[in-house]
Structure formats: C-alpha cells, structure tokens
Amino acid sequence: MTIAYISHPDCLLHQMGEGHPEKPNRLNAIEDQLIASGIFDLLQHHQAPLATVRQLERVHDSKYIEEVLSFEHKNKSAYLDPDTMITPQTPKAALRSAGALILATDLVLKGKIRQAYCNVRPPGHHALPSQAMGFCFFNNVAVGAAHAIAEYGIKRIAIIDFDVHHGNGTETMFTHEPRVMLCSTFQHPFYPFSGASSGNEHIINTPLSAGTSGDKYRETILSVWLPALHKFKPELIFFSAGFDAHQEDHMSMLNLTDKDYSWITREILLIADKYAEGRVVSTLEGGYHLPSLARSVLNHLRILMRIE
Ligand SMILES: [Zn+2]
C-alpha cells in the first residue's frame, strides 16, 4: 500500500551553522536510504506547499509569525534561542514544513490516501505559541492538528510524540484542548526539562530515565499509552516522529533500536485501524545520527506501508 511522501527542496536551505546537528543532510540521508531500499519509487510524491499565516495563527501568535517571516527580507541571522538560529532562508523552510502537514492532513481527511509522511525540517514540537525553541520555529504537527479540527471538525486527534525530548510546545498549545490527546515519551531529566510534573487527562507524559532500553520502553507504551488511546478512540493520528532516542544517537541516553521504532509504529497503526480508518500523518522531528535516523525512518515507513 502506498503512502504520501511530502517534502520540498526549500527545507534544505535552512542552516544553523557548521557543526549544528539539525542539518540539511538529515533529509538527504533519509532519502538515500529510501532510494537504496527500493521504497522511494513506491511512494506517492508531493511537494510541500507554503503554510498560510491564517493556518499558522491557529496555534501561533500573529506578532511571532510576523517576526519569523520578516527575516526573509533581512540580510542577517539571529539567535531566537541559544540553540535556534534564524537566517533569511529559514522562513521559507519553516513555511514548507508546516505546509507539509496541511497538505498531509488534507490528503488523508479527503480520503485520497490513508497515510502520509512529511520529510521536512526545521522540526516543530518545541515551538511555542510566540517563541522559537530547540531547533523549532513553527509547530508543524500542531498546525496539522489544528487544521484537522478547524477545517474538518475532527473531534478526537492523537499526537504520538516518540522523540527523546518532551513535546513541550505541542503540550502548551493543546493543554486546554481536550479534542487533542498528546502522548509523549521523553528522557527525563533532560532538555527541555518539562513534562514530568505537567499533563492532564489528555496530555499523557511518560518520562523515562537515562539508560532506558527497548523492553522498559515497550512496557511503558503498553501500560500507559495504549489504554489511554483505546479509551480516547482517536479519529486521526499524528506521529511527531523523532528518532533521537536511538542507542546510536548520542543526542540522548535512551537505548532504542531500529526494531523498537518498528514496534511502536505497528502498535499505533493497530489503534489507527481500529478507530481512525487507518488515518495517520507522520512528520519528522529529531534524529541526529544519520545512519540510525535513515534506517529508523525506513522501518517506520515500511510498517505504515504494511510491507512487513
Ligand atoms: Zn528531540
């Protein structure tokens, strides 16, 4: 079964300087792996559109959007937070990343395809309503979820955030929105040092200590996430798909393997099949060790495509 694959060359233009881990080659490494595996030709390819200001305003403040976009016409770069540099090329890349989620949501909710994956950067899940943070400018997955609510009246959306960092931006945006359930696993204590003492009935935070391996990780998903998801019965599922909890990725101290990413994708796909007519939109968040990132995305897509 094919899935939509949404990306855009503009996503490669944003660069935060020599040696920064959130680099354009992340997307190239993933694409190379998909090509080498033979899967690339089986995907339904789409170019990401630019998100509109109106679509961003569902989750971001107008003044902040204006500030980010203004850099397109400035001849300089600036640090919006200590890890996050904006350049004149950033606004276009950030608009394509958020726009990919709009297109993915449209394709899936119009019934044109069951699943979509967005191979985009900059990532989004740390972006707050009026603040860039942790390599993120616009909260792509939140823009997609808000679009599904506003345009299609979806009443129950689950966001599955398995990035190694807490999805603090997404939590902030939906903490008072019971139509969105956020399930976030993350190393704790660890950047951004939030999530352990927040959450509510529809924000399911599952902090994990450094050194956690796949067995303990799976146990947590089975005992915390899956019961919550079965109770919630999502009509649409998003993945904030970060692969930086991989044991080969030295960004963190969790020890997941390729197989763990396949496992969680399969478990969530079962939920999607049961309650959401299989509707899944996945978008790239973190993942900085290129070989393990590329293999893990390949496995994630293989499961979504039901190849194994
Ligand atoms: Zn991360």
Side-chain angles (χ1 to χ4, degrees):
M1 196 172 82
T2 191
I3 65 170
Y5 178 86
I6 305 170
S7 193
H8 198 282
D10 286 351
C11 292
L12 300 170
L13 299 177
H14 161 67
Q15 299 204 40
M16 294 189 284
E18 195 66 32
H20 196 292
E22 205 292 278
K23 56 194 175 197
N25 258 348
R26 299 174 63 231
L27 299 188
N28 296 328
I30 291 167
E31 240 173 62
D32 281 351
Q33 183 78 47
L34 296 176
I35 291 166
S37 73
I39 273 186
F40 198 67
D41 292 337
L42 306 177
L43 299 164
Q44 186 189 97
H45 291 265
H46 297 266
Q47 299 265 297
L50 298 164
T52 66
V53 169
R54 209 183 113 250
Q55 289 160 349
L56 298 173
E57 279 175 342
R58 293 178 183 136
V59 291
H60 288 287
D61 295 343
S62 309
K63 274 223 160 95
Y64 169 69
I65 298 168
E66 214 175 280
E67 185 200 354
V68 170
L69 299 186
S70 72
F71 275 83
E72 194 169 1
H73 307 293
K74 286 182 185 170
N75 204 11
K76 61 170 191 177
S77 304
Y79 280 92
L80 298 187
D81 101 330
D83 303 314
T84 314
M85 188 172 85
I86 189 164
T87 73
Q89 287 73 40
T90 304
K92 214 168 240 175
L95 288 174
R96 295 285 180 198
S97 294
L101 272 287
I102 296 287
L103 175 60
T105 304
D106 283 339
L107 289 171
V108 166
L109 290 181
K110 284 180 180 157
K112 300 206 167 152
I113 202 149
R114 297 266 291 285
Q115 283 124 21
Y117 166 74
C118 304
N119 202 44
V120 293
R121 59 179 287 282
H125 73 150
H126 295 306
L128 293 159
S130 57
Q131 195 188 318
M133 184 175 169
F135 318 163
C136 304
F137 297 87
F138 298 136
N139 194 320
N140 308 318
V141 81
V143 169
H147 185 65
I149 292 172
E151 292 290 322
Y152 298 92
I154 299 293
K155 291 189 179 67
R156 292 183 309 282
I157 294 169
I159 299 176
I160 303 299
D161 186 333
F162 58 66
D163 189 277
V164 80
H165 302 98
H166 174 227
N168 63 306
T170 313
E171 173 174 338
T172 301
M173 286 163 174
F174 296 124
T175 194
H176 301 300
E177 175 49 89
R179 286 175 289 188
V180 177
M181 172 172 279
L182 168 67
C183 297
S184 181
T185 43
F186 49 94
Q187 182 178 327
H188 187 82
F190 199 50
Y191 184 87
F193 303 100
S194 52
S197 58
S198 59
N200 55 39
E201 262 204 354
H202 63 99
I203 304 288
I204 315 294
N205 286 330
T206 44
L208 300 163
S209 51
T212 298
S213 63
D215 289 351
K216 173 82 174 58
Y217 184 86
R218 293 183 192 204
E219 249 178 67
T220 307
I221 301 299
L222 289 172
S223 63
V224 183
W225 282 16
L226 296 190
L229 288 165
H230 280 296
K231 199 172 159 204
F232 185 65
K233 300 180 174 54
E235 300 171 275
L236 172 65
I237 296 182
F238 287 87
F239 278 106
S240 255
F243 299 88
D244 40 7
H246 198 286
Q247 63 180 1
E248 292 169 38
D249 195 316
H250 296 306
M251 183 64 89
S252 79
M253 284 149 276
L254 295 197
N255 292 317
L256 300 194
T257 62
D258 300 23
K259 285 200 165 81
D260 294 316
Y261 289 112
S262 300
W263 178 84
I264 188 168
T265 306
R266 197 177 291 114
E267 289 298 318
I268 298 302
L269 193 55
L270 289 172
I271 300 275
D273 284 344
K274 190 166 172 136
Y275 303 113
E277 298 167 38
R279 298 184 296 200
V280 173
V281 171
S282 179
T283 187
L284 183 65
E285 298 283 2
Y288 304 98
H289 174 256
L290 301 188
S292 63
L293 168 66
R295 295 192 320 263
S296 300
V297 171
L298 170 62
N299 288 345
H300 180 60
L301 298 197
R302 268 194 181 134
I303 302 292
L304 292 180
M305 295 168 79
R306 296 159 206 263
I307 287 173
E308 55 173 43

